[in-house]
Amino acid sequence: MTTQARQIPLNYDRLLKGFVDILSVDSYWGNENRVVAIIQPRLEEVGVHFERDKIGNLIGLWPAHGKSSRPIMLNAHMDTVQPTPEMRPVVKDDAVYSDGSSVLGADDKAGVAAIVESVVAVHEAGLEHGPIDLVFTVGEDVGQYGADAFDPNDIESRMGLVLDSGGPVGEVINQQAGSYSFTATFHGKAAHAGIEAAEGINAIAMMARAVDQMPLGQINERTVSNVGIVSGGQANNICPPEARITGQARSLNQDELDRQMDAMRKAAEDAAVAFGGRVEYEQSGRFKATQFSEDHPAICLADIAIRASGLEPQHVSTFGGSDAQNFNEKGIETTMLGCGYHNVHSVDEYMPHEALRQLFQVSAQLIINA
Ligand SMILES: [Zn+2]
């Protein structure tokens, strides 16, 4: 890997306009076509070939120019969270804000805008680059629907960079927590709670014992767990025959995550035995924890691009979910980069101009240093 330690010329007015254009459309899940309509023609002009997959992800291949490096994937998601009644971005001296009636949608349109402008700028500067897969996903914020449905065979890259993390530009996510969920359904025995109380087995009491015995909350700095929903019972005069809990655990360490899930299952099973009932315990493993070493190619490329942008890389871990988890699960080794936006998922969201400039430069440096 050779480093081209030169800054890519930036036309900031054009980057800002491109950013504001896509911020001005409501692209909540299902409406991402409005962003596609703006960015696809701009990128086709510089030679990107696009396809849409069945869920609506916009997948572009930008062929290599004068360089035969391995392909890399750049990704950002086109949807936002709500509220999105009317999107009216307000450009001030320091940053771009929403007008207070909606989210701004810099999460993740700052990533989208930076990628689009960096491709155009590298093209205009006539710089060499390898093949770049541009994947603009749909439905990230409603549960990573687009990345979940994404077929990795639609692109060649087996390494990816997702511009969608909340930290400052320069942050590199080198550890992503794994996340598993469970449902425990406790079965007791119904009985009239007044006239045959001794005949009943109270499933709610069984469930309460299990929850009490589960390690919950902040287990340590690597592992967290939660019981989120309880349900059960029919009437005050019926000993409840069934009760249910659902919960989850997340950990940066896969062994700890497995142990945590085992401890929750054991608490449920022990409670069932103690009460003479039974429990059905179902675990839905979503994502395994991922951890990249300091010399992982994706981390190295991110570090090079960040340094070439005049910043110092910071390696951090995250407990949050993102499309990067789905890409990793599908064999595309993917890290996430900080985008520098603030107060995301709220009407106070804003994107400093300085962060947008930096994000553009990092994206451009990823392209020419891959
Ligand atoms: Zn996001």
Side-chain angles (χ1 to χ4, degrees), residues 78-110:
M78 299 184 286
D79 64 304
T80 69
V81 293
Q82 288 178 322
T84 53
E86 281 181 65
M87 307 295 275
R88 285 183 292 251
V90 180
V91 179
K92 296 189 182 170
D93 284 349
D94 60 332
V96 184
Y97 297 81
S98 85
D99 70 352
S101 69
S102 70
V103 294
L104 175 63
D107 170 11
D108 187 29
K109 291 173 181 176

Side-chain angles (χ1 to χ4, degrees), residues 67-81:
K67 190 177 170 187
S68 59
S69 52
R70 81 206 129 163
I72 60 158
M73 175 192 74
L74 297 181
N75 164 263
H77 64 87
M78 299 184 286
D79 64 304
T80 69
V81 293

